[in-house]
Amino acid sequence: MRFGHFDDAAREYVIETPRTPLPWINYLGSEQFFSLFSHTAGGYSFYRDARMRRLTRYRYNNVPTDVGGRYLYVHDDGDVWTPSWLPVRAELDHFEARHGLGYSRITGERNGISVETLVFVPFGEDAEVQRVRVTNTGTAAKDITLFSFVEFCLWNAYDDQTNYQRNLSIGEVEVEPDGPHGSAIYHRTEYRERRDHYAVFGINTRADGFDTDRDTFVGPYNTLGEADVPRSGRSADSVASGWYPIGSHSVRMSLAPGESRELVIVLGYLENPVDAKWADDAHQVINKERAHALLGRFATVELADAAFARLQEHWTALLSTYRVESTDPKLDRMVNIWNQYQCMVTFNMSRSASYFETGIGRGMGFRDSNQDLLGFVHLIPERARERILDIAATQFPDGSAYHQYQPLTKRGNNDVGSGFNDDPLWLIAGVVGYLKETGDFSILDEAVPFDNDPAQAESLFEHLRRSFDFTATHRGPHGLPLIGRADWNDCLNLNCFSTTPGESFQTTENQAGGSAESLFIAAQFVLYGTQYAELARRRGMADEADRAQAVVDEVHAAVLEHGWDGRWFLRAYDYYGTPVGTDAHDEGKIWIEPQGMAVMAGIGLPAGPDDVDAPALRALDAVEEMLGTPHGLVLQYPAYTTYRIELGEVSTYPPGYKENGGIFCHNNPWVIIAETVVGRGAQAFDHYRRITPAYREEISEIHRLEPYVYAQMIAGKEAVRAGEAKNSWLTGTAAWNFVAVSQHLLGVRPDYDGLVIDPQIGPDVPSWTVTRVARGATYVISVANSGAPGARGRLVVDGTPIEGNLVPYAPAGATVRVQVTV
Ligand code: GLC
Ligand code: GLC
């Protein structure tokens, strides 16, 4: 069952009913100002850091869900309703919410009044703009009043939810009913002291009234859906003093049949220089010059429309780097629109703010951000470059890393600490991804601090060496890498032994004396250690390359010798040296992560077509047999039914959820890529379709989350609610699936010296054309695909057949035509 449909031409998902199973959201903004925006106008806005600079308030865990956002109320002759359906929930004659790239559009109609609101964060602005059109669709004249509404957050979102004894006395606003561009409300809590930033909520007309005090507007015992002021039909002109500051304007309008009125509403964030904070000597009135300039830039609908057009062009340009036209519209819409869009969002947000992440918990993850880069670097390489340098600066001199850092300060986060032994290697992955995309080797010579201390700066290449060496020198009794606090799987905590309820597995003191080793890190080391050695060789450091390759070879051999269980790769050795992920156990027999990663790393590959017993093939067969479900591959099987103190958080989840046998979508693309490595494109594409949202749209009543973006998890086969997704948007799934589909299934992958063209998708997509812009040249790659198992493409480049699958980079501006026959 569907709740909407894709409009590919408009690059939108169109939601046809407000009653989706869960709020389906969008992200507005991709630079400094961000908004979360649900299909019923819920959500909130922040500037750069969802915790430290929260502009508007949102209540997680609310009942009913998703009440709190930017609302418009209509008062029509005593009838009060909201075009976004929430919060009033009056039945609408028509409802539609369209989520597009950086904007959303909600249309609600009732009793002959239609309100269409386009909401977006303009490119280059720190503001959310609502462009509103109210139309009389009926046959009689209408007199209505429209009320806008936002509730301000007192900036620090954590403090805002905890420190009421102070906060309920500090709220302050200024009201400017007759400003240069209409009416405006200024949220200036704490501006009198150390803050030099404020928010403005303006409307581009002289409003008929305003409110800034929530209790006046809503009424102390009402819900937002029963708000007093809209019901009364008239603003109370309330001025907040402490308590709960809000912003609301009212505009009365008389509309003849067919007539429309258009308005622009702006929520903006402004900073003033410390010595220019005030407009008066007594330091009582904010210097509003910057706010006025902002409101001036959106003083008319024409200005707003022009800004919206620029945003659309921006996205068209971004998405032109990789485009596919195939016989499968679902594939095309994921590749061309939604997956790339989600990669932008994960790059910006890391795991901080979504409907499942409150924006007050996590900063940017070291491993997460490095992986996010892999799906983002082709979009805006300059921002990827800056991110790499920021991440690397949070590395410690021994090569290990802070697990997280805060985006506002770019400093490592002491609360979350360190000790996740996979972290260092992801830096190699991110940097190599950047180098292959851009060819910008100068980044390797940038001086980058360790532990954010400029006195300890070394070249970025030296950072990579320390990443490599950290793993090389932290190995256990089987010669395999030590796991530390955990590896990619945050919840595989083999040294924690936690007995205290509520204690964090991520930060608790680890028990010393063990020797827990990770097969995942081993495989990861073979993959990225090899890339490090290759990089050293390209820099003319043959000795270093040989040294590195020798260690990689040792670990490779150790995986085959000590990491093979007979039908699949082991997951780990625990604190005591007991295998984890073995057929010998009743639960947790087989885990997905080492299978995908080992085959990606080239471990256990068949020696030839007859080598059907090669470990890589057996492992991938076991994955499908043991972990396969119609909704994707579960993380391990059977799930743990009891708490295992020697395994940690993984066994805290009920069976089938999250890391305990959930379909943890992030690691499915490793298996997808692995299947392409062994030439089984059909299996790869099958795995891809099971988790990819556009293919799951028809079962939205089971999946329940947005059918246009990946979720971190889909409940596994042993879960009570198998097939139900959770934690949409902010997941490494986005980047990895884009890598899987763009570079391996469709098979166009940037390498150092050219594009490798190596499609492997099986017979279901018989032909397609990829247009790829790389290093300034355009490659038009047309593929005729038999999909036969093991078949590889033969290439004709600009009319000439070539050996192998590397198309050398052409000069910027050139167009290269490639014909591929598989
Ligand atoms: C979450 C974390 C990621 C981790 C994964 C598996 O997605 O953000 O860092 O690798 O869970 O535990
Ligand atoms: C990761 C995991 C999650 C775990 C968290 C840290 O995000 O996905 O299951 O709870 O890390 O506690």
Short mmCIF file of all heavy atoms in Angstrom, two decimals, residues 233-251:
data_model
loop_
_atom_site.label_atom_id
_atom_site.label_comp_id
_atom_site.label_asym_id
_atom_site.label_seq_id
_atom_site.Cartn_x
_atom_site.Cartn_y
_atom_site.Cartn_z
N GLY A 233 -10.11 34.59 16.40
CA GLY A 233 -10.08 35.31 15.13
C GLY A 233 -9.30 36.60 15.18
O GLY A 233 -9.29 37.38 14.22
N ARG A 234 -8.59 36.85 16.28
CA ARG A 234 -7.94 38.15 16.44
C ARG A 234 -6.69 38.00 17.29
O ARG A 234 -6.74 37.39 18.36
CB ARG A 234 -8.96 39.07 17.12
CG ARG A 234 -8.51 40.47 17.43
CD ARG A 234 -9.69 41.27 17.99
NE ARG A 234 -10.74 41.49 16.98
CZ ARG A 234 -10.73 42.47 16.10
NH1 ARG A 234 -9.76 43.33 16.07
NH2 ARG A 234 -11.71 42.60 15.21
N SER A 235 -5.60 38.58 16.83
CA SER A 235 -4.37 38.54 17.62
C SER A 235 -4.55 39.29 18.93
O SER A 235 -5.31 40.27 19.00
CB SER A 235 -3.20 39.18 16.86
OG SER A 235 -2.87 38.42 15.72
N ALA A 236 -3.81 38.88 19.95
CA ALA A 236 -3.92 39.54 21.25
C ALA A 236 -2.80 40.57 21.45
O ALA A 236 -2.75 41.24 22.48
CB ALA A 236 -3.87 38.49 22.36
N ASP A 237 -1.92 40.68 20.50
CA ASP A 237 -0.78 41.61 20.61
C ASP A 237 -0.03 41.40 21.92
O ASP A 237 0.37 42.36 22.61
CB ASP A 237 -1.24 43.07 20.48
CG ASP A 237 -1.78 43.38 19.09
OD1 ASP A 237 -1.65 42.52 18.18
OD2 ASP A 237 -2.34 44.47 18.90
N SER A 238 0.20 40.17 22.27
CA SER A 238 0.87 39.86 23.54
C SER A 238 2.37 40.02 23.40
O SER A 238 2.94 39.72 22.35
CB SER A 238 0.54 38.42 23.97
OG SER A 238 0.96 37.51 22.97
N VAL A 239 3.01 40.48 24.46
CA VAL A 239 4.46 40.63 24.47
C VAL A 239 5.03 39.70 25.55
O VAL A 239 4.70 39.83 26.73
CB VAL A 239 4.88 42.09 24.74
CG1 VAL A 239 6.40 42.20 24.81
CG2 VAL A 239 4.33 43.00 23.66
N ALA A 240 5.84 38.77 25.14
CA ALA A 240 6.38 37.77 26.07
C ALA A 240 7.32 38.43 27.06
O ALA A 240 8.08 39.34 26.72
CB ALA A 240 7.12 36.68 25.31
N SER A 241 7.27 37.96 28.29
CA SER A 241 8.29 38.31 29.27
C SER A 241 8.56 37.03 30.03
O SER A 241 7.76 36.58 30.84
CB SER A 241 7.76 39.40 30.20
OG SER A 241 8.69 39.63 31.23
N GLY A 242 9.67 36.40 29.74
CA GLY A 242 9.92 35.08 30.29
C GLY A 242 8.99 34.05 29.67
O GLY A 242 8.45 34.25 28.58
N TRP A 243 8.80 32.94 30.38
CA TRP A 243 7.96 31.83 29.94
C TRP A 243 8.32 31.37 28.54
O TRP A 243 9.46 31.01 28.30
CB TRP A 243 6.47 32.18 30.07
CG TRP A 243 6.11 32.40 31.52
CD1 TRP A 243 5.90 33.62 32.13
CD2 TRP A 243 6.01 31.42 32.55
NE1 TRP A 243 5.64 33.44 33.46
CE2 TRP A 243 5.70 32.10 33.75
CE3 TRP A 243 6.13 30.02 32.58
CZ2 TRP A 243 5.52 31.43 34.97
CZ3 TRP A 243 5.93 29.36 33.79
CH2 TRP A 243 5.64 30.07 34.96
N TYR A 244 7.34 31.42 27.63
CA TYR A 244 7.53 30.73 26.35
C TYR A 244 7.35 31.69 25.18
O TYR A 244 6.23 31.87 24.71
CB TYR A 244 6.51 29.59 26.23
CG TYR A 244 6.39 28.73 27.47
CD1 TYR A 244 5.27 28.84 28.30
CD2 TYR A 244 7.39 27.83 27.80
CE1 TYR A 244 5.15 28.04 29.43
CE2 TYR A 244 7.28 27.03 28.93
CZ TYR A 244 6.16 27.14 29.75
OH TYR A 244 6.04 26.37 30.85
N PRO A 245 8.42 32.27 24.69
CA PRO A 245 8.27 33.21 23.57
C PRO A 245 7.91 32.50 22.26
O PRO A 245 8.46 31.43 21.95
CB PRO A 245 9.66 33.85 23.44
CG PRO A 245 10.47 33.37 24.59
CD PRO A 245 9.82 32.17 25.15
N ILE A 246 7.00 33.08 21.55
CA ILE A 246 6.62 32.56 20.23
C ILE A 246 6.64 33.71 19.23
O ILE A 246 6.84 34.87 19.60
CB ILE A 246 5.20 31.95 20.23
CG1 ILE A 246 4.17 33.03 20.61
CG2 ILE A 246 5.12 30.75 21.15
CD1 ILE A 246 2.77 32.72 20.17
N GLY A 247 6.42 33.39 17.97
CA GLY A 247 6.20 34.41 16.96
C GLY A 247 4.91 34.11 16.22
O GLY A 247 4.69 32.97 15.79
N SER A 248 4.04 35.10 16.13
CA SER A 248 2.81 34.93 15.35
C SER A 248 2.36 36.28 14.82
O SER A 248 2.38 37.27 15.55
CB SER A 248 1.70 34.32 16.22
OG SER A 248 0.47 34.33 15.50
N HIS A 249 1.99 36.30 13.55
CA HIS A 249 1.35 37.49 12.97
C HIS A 249 -0.02 37.09 12.44
O HIS A 249 -0.22 35.93 12.07
CB HIS A 249 2.17 38.03 11.79
CG HIS A 249 3.49 38.59 12.19
ND1 HIS A 249 4.68 37.95 11.93
CD2 HIS A 249 3.82 39.74 12.84
CE1 HIS A 249 5.68 38.68 12.41
NE2 HIS A 249 5.19 39.77 12.97
N SER A 250 -0.91 38.04 12.38
CA SER A 250 -2.19 37.75 11.73
C SER A 250 -2.43 38.72 10.59
O SER A 250 -2.04 39.89 10.66
CB SER A 250 -3.35 37.79 12.72
OG SER A 250 -3.49 39.10 13.25
N VAL A 251 -3.03 38.20 9.54
CA VAL A 251 -3.34 39.02 8.36
C VAL A 251 -4.78 38.74 7.97
O VAL A 251 -5.15 37.60 7.71
CB VAL A 251 -2.40 38.67 7.18
CG1 VAL A 251 -2.75 39.52 5.97
CG2 VAL A 251 -0.95 38.87 7.57
#
